[in-house]
Amino acid sequence: MTENRPSEKELDRRLANVRTAMQDRGFDGLVVADPSNIYYLSGYNAWSFYTPQFLYVPMEGEPVLAMREMDARGAHRTASRFTDGILGYPEHLVHRPDAHPGAWLAEQLRALGHARPQRVGYEGDAHFFSVRTFLGLLDGLPEWQLQESAELVNWVRLVKSDYEIDLLRRAGLVASEVMRTAIEAITEGTPVNEVAAAVAAAQAAGTADADGDYPAFVPMFPRGEGADTPHLTWTADKIAAGETVSIEIAGVHRRYHAPLARAVTLGRPSTDLDRLAGATVEGLNAALEAMRPGNTPADVTAAWNKVLSRHGLEKRSRLGYSIGIGFPPDWGERTVSIRAEDTTELRENMTFHVIAGMWMTGYGFEVSESIRVTANAPEVLTNAPRALIVKEN
């Protein structure tokens, strides 16, 4: 079983790589607000990201963790680094229209000597870096030249270490078990919320070799005519005979995500659905074959589109994206996308969720895999039948 926390060597490597990227982009400091990136650099892991928090990374010296006081007191419970000088803003600043933690944190950073003129990157697309936090830093540290960092840390995370690959493999074990649970639970007359409950329990339980964790996305179950629409969750409606239920879940192990999608139909599928499923699986196989070092997402997309074109089909949305650490509301890394416009060179130990979702009118089909790019064929991290799953009544 993997150790609970990354080694000092692993964390040193990550910080050094981030600082190299900062230097390459001309940054003297970096405000890291994405909880996935805070976790990546420090190990800090708690449901505290709904209030302002960040990690300030100077080019030299100790990075500074900053968060709500009640969370700062316990940060050492999970974080492996940067807890000695943690900044904890007082409770009276939480959820006030006339004051904000961003201004208080700017004052503390000034007191620590970080107010000199410098270029400081910030994560402008991080879900939990609020406008008020940004304005607090902007007003409180006018010496700083603030510049959007363009997902700097996310891009550093793109190629995984051996330690991370082990965690992702274990997340794949959890995903496979969760999918088995979902397929088994989908029966005629079962309320969809009961399927969701079984899935959530399996995600938390994990397996004998991999403890489970909460996912960045809730389980999703588009069904019936609604299977033509992605990202639908669930209701208490009962599953009917003849319906198709799409399943999109993830196995999570210590915040590393291995997403997985399949589709289950109760009874014999329609001709259109059967044809769509066959073409989609064929296209996914072709795309996976193209996921080799030296190729690009554009090459992978071309292999996929070649199959779809032969079947008279087209997919307008992207075919996948990079994965690794995930916190709500997203399990993607927001870096490489598998689409025709992306020319990033694939490298060994990049990891992706390749999702061949086809949403037609009144029906749809989803099949996906979480994979690791290797020197040869990609390593599939998940294990489920790569086909339309037909359950006879």
Side-chain angles (χ1 to χ4, degrees), residues 229-252:
T229 304
H231 303 148
L232 300 183
T233 56
W234 65 79
T235 67
D237 291 347
K238 294 181 179 180
I239 301 169
E243 277 194 335
T244 298
V245 182
S246 289
I247 308 163
E248 188 174 350
I249 55 91
V252 190

Side-chain angles (χ1 to χ4, degrees), residues 20 60 219 235:
T20 296
E60 296 179 353
T235 67

Side-chain angles (χ1 to χ4, degrees), residues 82-105:
F82 320 136
T83 57
D84 289 343
I86 192 168
L87 302 178
Y89 54 83
E91 189 67 18
H92 68 79
L93 292 175
V94 175
H95 295 164
R96 281 182 55 176
D98 59 340
H100 192 268
W104 186 93
L105 291 170

Side-chain angles (χ1 to χ4, degrees), residues 29-245:
L30 182 68
V31 176
V32 178
D34 186 327
S36 296
N37 292 337
I38 295 173
Y39 178 77
Y40 180 74
L41 290 170
S42 72
Y44 177 68
N45 178 15
W47 196 284
S48 58
F49 42 82
Y50 64 96
T51 57
Q53 63 179 33
F54 57 75
L55 175 68
Y56 176 66
V57 181
M59 184 56 74
E60 296 179 353
E62 185 79 351
V64 180
L65 265 173
M67 61 186 65
R68 187 178 181 179
E69 184 180 40
M70 67 164 57
D71 297 308
R73 286 200 302 269
H76 66 281
R77 299 292 180 189
T78 61
S80 300
R81 291 288 175 87
F82 320 136
T83 57
D84 289 343
I86 192 168
L87 302 178
Y89 54 83
E91 189 67 18
H92 68 79
L93 292 175
V94 175
H95 295 164
R96 281 182 55 176
D98 59 340
H100 192 268
W104 186 93
L105 291 170
E107 291 177 4
Q108 304 309 306
L109 289 172
R110 175 177 294 280
L112 291 172
H114 295 294
R116 61 187 179 278
Q118 56 184 336
R119 292 182 70 241
V120 176
Y122 66 90
E123 295 184 326
D125 212 26
H127 297 104
F128 299 103
F129 186 60
S130 71
V131 173
R132 291 187 71 191
T133 302
F134 171 81
L135 291 175
L137 296 176
L138 183 68
D139 294 340
L141 293 163
E143 297 90 345
W144 283 8
Q145 180 187 345
L146 286 162
Q147 183 174 333
E148 218 287 320
S149 67
E151 310 287 22
L152 183 150
V153 180
N154 303 59
W155 282 96
V156 170
R157 289 166 43 198
L158 187 57
V159 177
K160 308 300 185 288
S161 67
D162 291 342
Y163 169 81
E164 293 181 285
I165 293 300
D166 182 66
L167 294 176
L168 280 160
R169 286 179 178 135
R170 294 179 189 278
L173 294 176
V174 178
S176 303
E177 177 60 21
V178 172
M179 183 59 72
R180 185 199 64 76
T181 299
I183 293 168
E184 183 178 293
I186 292 172
T187 57
E188 182 182 350
T190 300
V192 185
N193 63 314
E194 292 185 10
V195 178
V199 163
Q203 286 175 316
T207 71
D209 296 315
D211 48 283
D213 204 344
Y214 67 88
F217 267 42
V218 298
M220 291 173 279
F221 302 101
R223 47 178 275 273
E225 291 188 355
D228 68 357
T229 304
H231 303 148
L232 300 183
T233 56
W234 65 79
T235 67
D237 291 347
K238 294 181 179 180
I239 301 169
E243 277 194 335
T244 298
V245 182

Side-chain angles (χ1 to χ4, degrees), residues 202-375:
Q203 286 175 316
T207 71
D209 296 315
D211 48 283
D213 204 344
Y214 67 88
F217 267 42
V218 298
M220 291 173 279
F221 302 101
R223 47 178 275 273
E225 291 188 355
D228 68 357
T229 304
H231 303 148
L232 300 183
T233 56
W234 65 79
T235 67
D237 291 347
K238 294 181 179 180
I239 301 169
E243 277 194 335
T244 298
V245 182
S246 289
I247 308 163
E248 188 174 350
I249 55 91
V252 190
H253 178 66
R254 300 174 190 174
R255 303 314 317 148
Y256 283 80
H257 283 61
L260 183 61
R262 290 294 187 269
V264 176
T265 187
L266 299 184
R268 185 175 180 178
S270 68
T271 301
D272 286 342
L273 176 59
D274 191 54
R275 171 179 170 271
L276 179 67
T280 304
V281 170
E282 181 185 346
L284 176 59
N285 290 338
L288 293 177
E289 176 64 26
M291 297 203 70
R292 299 172 182 270
N295 281 355
T296 67
D299 296 323
V300 176
T301 304
W304 156 260
N305 283 336
K306 184 177 180 180
V307 174
L308 257 61
S309 179
R310 191 165 64 246
H311 290 276
L313 296 168
E314 179 185 13
K315 176 179 170 67
R316 297 178 65 181
S317 56
R318 63 181 179 171
L319 184 59
Y321 44 83
S322 62
I323 54 169
I325 300 168
F327 278 79
D330 187 12
W331 59 43
E333 287 186 320
R334 303 200 306 277
T335 52
V336 177
S337 288
I338 302 176
R339 55 189 170 202
E341 300 84 5
D342 198 320
T343 57
T344 305
E345 183 176 323
L346 299 181
R347 294 170 56 190
E348 190 166 2
N349 277 8
M350 289 183 178
T351 50
F352 293 91
H353 182 212
V354 187
I355 178 163
M358 295 295 292
W359 300 284
M360 313 308 283
T361 301
Y363 70 104
F365 176 75
E366 292 186 49
V367 60
S368 79
E369 302 287 8
S370 287
I371 67 98
R372 174 177 79 97
V373 177
T374 77

